[in-house]
Amino acid sequence: MSDLKNDIRPLEPSTMTDLVESRLREYLKRKSFVPGDALPKEQELADALGVSRNVVREALSRLRMLGMIDTRKKRGMILAQPDILGSLERVLDPLLLGKNTLKDIFELRLVLEMGLADLIYLRKTPEDIAVLEDIVAQEVNKQQKPFRVEHEIAFHGKLYQMTGNDTYMRFQKMLLPVFEYVLDYEIQVDGRADVGKVTHRDLVEILKTGDSEDFRRGMKAHLKPHFDRLKP
């Protein structure tokens, strides 16, 4: 019996709506629907699936909440272009999330920032460097939390903007509340927020004279206090 349990994946409990939602997703992919294509009517889908119209309506409502379908005048239901970050934006609030989730999100931010280098070097301009230099010039005592938060957000936000990637920029804005959480945690533990050996000013100099690999190494050193905290 123990071998049998290992060989056969157990069924997951599903409602009829779950099954219909799954079938609809499969249907959309199999028929290669693209955004803007008209979809069958509710009753047509219900007849094809052999379920009530109410079940189909509930399954479609789930897809509508995800931004996958929309209703247009004279056209009925169409496949929409889902906003992949829309749902996250509504719930990514430190007051709504547990500490473990916030920690996971901040770790994701660390990994993302390590990967900015190549896009930044493809698209950076002298004007971008000038903005970063202005931000650095305004930095004062990094150990004073209000100033540090303000300049951390401004500096790193500008780096995300320099990638020219809209999804990157939106995601960075969503992560801003996590800055506050991490700094609060560091101050509670150590009485201060640690700063890496490579400063914002150092990173600007690397952008002016180094290459993408230099910047990647510099960013790793800049974020080292945070990476150190991930160790068991």
Side-chain angles (χ1 to χ4, degrees):
M1 180 58 73
S2 60
D3 290 339
L4 186 59
K5 287 182 177 179
N6 291 330
D7 293 336
I8 300 178
R9 187 166 60 91
L11 292 173
E12 296 180 0
S14 298
T15 66
M16 185 62 72
T17 304
D18 293 331
L19 293 173
V20 170
E21 180 188 354
S22 177
R23 293 290 175 84
L24 290 175
R25 288 173 181 272
E26 291 172 4
Y27 167 71
L28 295 174
K29 289 187 288 186
R30 189 169 61 252
K31 291 296 184 180
S32 301
F33 279 83
V34 297
D37 285 350
L39 304 180
K41 294 180 173 60
E42 284 183 3
Q43 190 59 57
E44 293 172 339
L45 291 170
D47 292 342
L49 289 163
V51 298
S52 72
R53 187 172 175 178
N54 285 339
V55 171
V56 170
R57 184 176 294 130
E58 187 177 345
L60 289 171
S61 176
R62 293 182 181 182
L63 299 182
R64 187 174 283 108
M65 288 178 64
L66 294 173
M68 291 181 63
I69 63 172
D70 197 5
T71 303
R72 297 289 173 81
K73 221 172 188 179
K74 298 182 179 179
R75 294 198 62 197
M77 287 188 300
I78 64 167
L79 187 68
Q81 178 71 51
D83 182 356
I84 59 174
L85 297 180
S87 298
L88 272 176
E89 284 176 330
R90 290 193 287 270
V91 300
L92 200 56
D93 185 325
L95 297 178
L96 302 176
L97 303 173
K99 287 188 176 180
N100 287 340
T101 301
L102 288 169
K103 177 176 174 291
D104 289 345
I105 291 170
F106 189 71
E107 289 176 5
L108 177 61
R109 177 231 167 190
L110 295 179
V111 174
L112 284 175
E113 296 211 0
M114 292 299 299
L116 295 177
D118 291 320
L119 287 179
I120 288 176
Y121 270 80
L122 279 174
R123 296 164 182 166
K124 67 185 176 73
T125 66
E127 291 75 21
D128 290 328
I129 303 300
V131 171
L132 290 174
E133 288 181 320
D134 184 57
I135 293 170
V136 169
Q138 294 179 47
E139 289 184 359
V140 286
N141 186 352
K142 294 185 179 65
Q143 301 303 320
Q144 294 180 13
K145 181 184 153 191
F147 292 105
R148 183 161 186 256
V149 172
E150 175 186 344
H151 292 105
E152 282 286 311
I153 289 173
F155 188 88
H156 290 267
K158 179 59 182 176
L159 293 179
Y160 277 88
Q161 185 187 53
M162 288 166 64
T163 67
N165 185 297
D166 290 337
T167 301
Y168 247 145
M169 287 186 279
R170 280 187 65 192
F171 198 64
Q172 186 267 341
K173 289 179 182 178
M174 291 163 55
L175 295 180
L176 291 183
V178 183
F179 272 101
E180 189 78 23
Y181 159 76
V182 172
L183 290 177
D184 280 340
Y185 175 78
E186 290 178 352
I187 291 170
Q188 287 172 15
V189 173
D190 297 332
R192 62 189 177 86
D194 290 333
V195 180
K197 290 184 178 179
V198 173
T199 66
H200 289 165
R201 186 177 298 280
D202 296 329
L203 289 174
V204 174
E205 289 303 314
I206 293 172
L207 285 170
K208 290 163 66 174
T209 62
D211 58 23
S212 60
E213 283 304 315
D214 294 328
F215 186 79
R216 205 184 322 276
R217 286 191 292 268
M219 181 62 77
K220 180 68 178 291
H222 177 66
L223 298 173
K224 187 176 185 298
H226 300 301
F227 277 108
D228 287 344
R229 289 183 179 277
L230 305 183
K231 297 176 182 177

